[in-house]
Amino acid sequence: MKHSAIWKFWFGAWLLSFAALAQAALSQIHALGGTVAITYPGQAPRAAQKGDRLVNGTFVATGDKSFALLRFADGQIVALKSNSEFRIDQYRHVPKDAGAGLIAFSAGQGGLRAITGLIGKKNPAGFKL
């Protein structure tokens, strides 16, 4: 019986850590094509890859005949067109209270399309582009 309780504890801890990793993985570059660069705060720009995490301060730029599809933890989707510049100024997702979430994005040039996620639906005032 003692081993069963220990196993349940470790299994529960593993599930919680897996859920946290899965949640973080949802804010990422979901798809891309052509030349796409990503810059994290305090780092040099580099070629973006599918699965790159999106955190506050991340800057994404697409080149000629290129695109990037960004997916966020609350379900928000942003599709960047060719020759676009996009920055995540602030993104805060509270899974148990979408109304407490906040989104602030900046677009320097180019074009984008966005599909609002839970934050934009539950807290429209908390969405800024």
Side-chain angles (χ1 to χ4, degrees), residues 57-106:
T58 301
F59 180 80
V60 179
T62 58
D64 194 36
K65 298 180 183 176
S66 301
F67 75 93
L69 183 64
L70 314 179
R71 172 171 265 169
F72 294 86
D74 73 318
Q76 169 84 33
I77 296 173
V78 175
L80 300 176
K81 296 181 178 185
S82 294
N83 300 311
S84 296
E85 295 179 349
F86 181 82
R87 185 177 56 238
I88 302 163
D89 297 318
Q90 187 173 16
Y91 180 81
R92 183 180 69 227
H93 174 55
V94 182
K96 294 182 180 180
D97 185 9
L102 178 68
I103 294 174
F105 297 147
S106 298

Side-chain angles (χ1 to χ4, degrees), residues 30-41:
H30 186 70
L32 53 85
T35 304
V36 180
I38 189 166
T39 308
Y40 292 108

